[in-house]
Amino acid sequence: QVQLVESGGGLVKPGGSLRLSCVPSGFTFGDYYMSWIRQAPGKGLEWISYISSNTINTGYADSVRGRFTISRDNARNSLYLQMSSLRAEDTAVYYCARSSRSSCTWFDSWGQGVLVTVSS
Amino acid sequence: EVVMTQSPATLSVSPGERVTLSCRASQSVSNNLAWYQQKPGQAPRLLIYGASTRATGVPARFSGSGSGIEFTLTISSLQSEDFAIYHCQQYNYWYTFGQGTKLEIK
């Protein structure tokens, strides 16, 4: 059974940094593209970043490019999102999600999400 | 950016009814369209990809159609567990979601 478990969320001041982690189970993590997707309170979903299975390719939404960095360690079975220069508008539940083996497409498995609150 | 617009924002329906949700893209996304169901406090669940292919384990009462810029998700006979928010997502040019349609009990 595919499972994704995020951690690392919490309260951070504007301008601060935070690192999210996502630990997968139930599938061969290194075979799949992975993404981070967020949902601000009461709002819709926003894709923010993807990373290819071999770590070579990454992509970012304009809203986070230059501030967030996605990475993965296939040997340690972990996905990460390093967030810096955080703003109030980054407040959201952050989900890690699995895509396909060959590219970032639809998202067939999601974690339960972790809340990041940016506030002074 | 490809903007996805879902309509209506909220739909009040009764169990057993047939319902159709709409999703429109600001430019053609071919058939690179997925639908998700999200219940309160839960992560989204993939229902449909490729505009019309049901994901594993999704009941047959859910069906998707469309291509280009107009897409629909149809639930043939609403069950109590179907009351939720439904999101569409395009993956033709980067990845964008609609704002969601909330299905509520009438």
Side-chain angles (χ1 to χ4, degrees):
Chain A
Q1 180 186 352
V2 174
Q3 195 170 4
L4 299 166
V5 179
E6 301 96 337
S7 62
L11 175 64
V12 60
K13 290 182 168 51
S17 298
L18 209 56
R19 188 199 202 201
L20 305 183
S21 299
C22 171
V23 175
S25 59
F27 67 102
T28 304
F29 175 65
D31 285 352
Y32 288 83
Y33 279 61
M34 299 294 295
S35 279
W36 288 96
I37 296 160
R38 69 184 180 184
Q39 187 170 35
K43 302 296 185 183
L45 298 163
E46 179 189 16
W47 169 85
I48 56 173
S49 185
Y50 86 85
I51 186 167
S52 62
S53 51
N54 60 10
T55 77
I56 290 176
N57 298 308
T58 59
Y60 298 91
D62 289 344
S63 58
V64 306
R65 187 176 295 115
R67 300 187 299 122
F68 290 11
T69 302
I70 192 171
S71 63
R72 66 191 294 166
D73 186 335
N74 289 340
R76 294 175 182 260
N77 250 28
S78 291
L79 174 74
Y80 305 102
L81 185 69
Q82 178 67 47
M83 305 184 293
S84 60
S85 302
L86 282 162
R87 307 165 180 166
E89 54 265 36
D90 295 318
T91 294
V93 173
Y94 285 72
Y95 297 99
C96 66
R98 189 182 81 167
S99 196
S100 77
R101 286 186 170 91
S102 56
S103 61
C104 187
T105 52
W106 60 87
F107 308 104
D108 68 354
S109 297
W110 298 61
Q112 84 287 353
V114 63
L115 178 62
V116 172
T117 303
V118 184
S119 175
S120 54
Chain B
E1 176 182 321
V2 180
V3 177
M4 307 301 292
T5 302
Q6 291 186 243
S7 60
T10 304
L11 194 54
S12 298
V13 292
S14 300
E17 283 187 19
R18 176 187 179 91
V19 64
T20 299
L21 311 181
S22 295
C23 176
R24 170 185 276 256
S26 60
Q27 63 191 71
S28 177
V29 298
S30 186
N31 68 335
N32 297 314
L33 192 286
W35 289 94
Y36 301 84
Q37 177 193 67
Q38 187 178 27
K39 296 180 180 179
Q42 296 185 17
R45 169 198 177 197
L46 176 68
L47 296 176
I48 301 283
Y49 61 91
S52 61
T53 303
R54 274 190 303 276
T56 303
V58 175
R61 64 180 181 272
F62 291 91
S63 62
S65 64
S67 67
I69 63 170
E70 296 276 4
F71 300 88
T72 60
L73 174 70
T74 299
I75 309 172
S76 59
S77 178
L78 272 168
Q79 306 298 301
S80 57
E81 61 266 30
D82 300 336
F83 291 94
I85 296 174
Y86 291 83
H87 307 271
C88 63
Q89 175 233 336
Q90 68 81 21
Y91 48 93
N92 191 66
Y93 183 71
W94 293 97
Y95 319 96
T96 49
F97 292 85
Q99 80 280 18
T101 290
K102 181 179 181 180
L103 274 188
E104 61 178 28
I105 300 175
K106 193 172 187 179

